[in-house]
């Protein structure tokens, strides 16, 4: 029984479209994955900067409390 040329051509066309779409999806996934990696690095950098800022603020706040305590002559850790 001879093969149906029209059916074979349709199968080939569908296969090509499927493979093209799969390749496009793979490229797009790669781009998204790369962008996600970049975002993770940026978030990590921001987290480090925020931690450093918080540490600076705590130090500054402690210094302000110390200076104010000296001005009024009291230890802020003493009750009452």
């Amino acid at each position: 029984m001879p093969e149906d040329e029209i059916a074979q051509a349709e199968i080939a066309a569908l296969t090509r479209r499927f493979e093209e779409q799969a390749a496009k999806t793979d490229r797009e996934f790669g781009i998204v994955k790369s962008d996600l990696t970049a975002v993770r690095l940026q978030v990590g950098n921001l987290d480090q900067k925020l931690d450093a800022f918080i540490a600076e603020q705590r130090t500054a706040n402690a210094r302000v409390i110390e200076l104010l305590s000296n001005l009024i002559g009291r230890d802020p850790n003493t009750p009452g």
Side-chain angles (χ1 to χ4, degrees), residues 3-13:
E3 292 186 18
D4 184 347
E5 290 181 22
I6 295 173
Q8 291 298 320
E10 289 295 318
I11 290 172

Side-chain angles (χ1 to χ4, degrees), residues 1 5-6 8 11 13 16 18 20 29 33 38 41-42 46 49 57-59 61 64 67 69:
M1 178 184 228
E5 290 181 22
I6 295 173
Q8 291 298 320
I11 290 172
R16 247 189 336 273
F18 175 79
E20 289 169 358
F29 179 74
K33 189 175 176 183
L41 289 172
Q42 290 175 348
L46 288 174
K49 288 178 181 181
Q57 287 303 114
R58 286 183 177 148
T59 301
N61 289 348
V64 167
L67 291 171
S69 297

Side-chain angles (χ1 to χ4, degrees), residues 55-73:
E56 286 177 23
Q57 287 303 114
R58 286 183 177 148
T59 301
N61 289 348
R63 182 70 178 137
V64 167
I65 289 171
E66 179 185 346
L67 291 171
L68 290 173
S69 297
N70 288 339
L71 283 174
I72 59 171

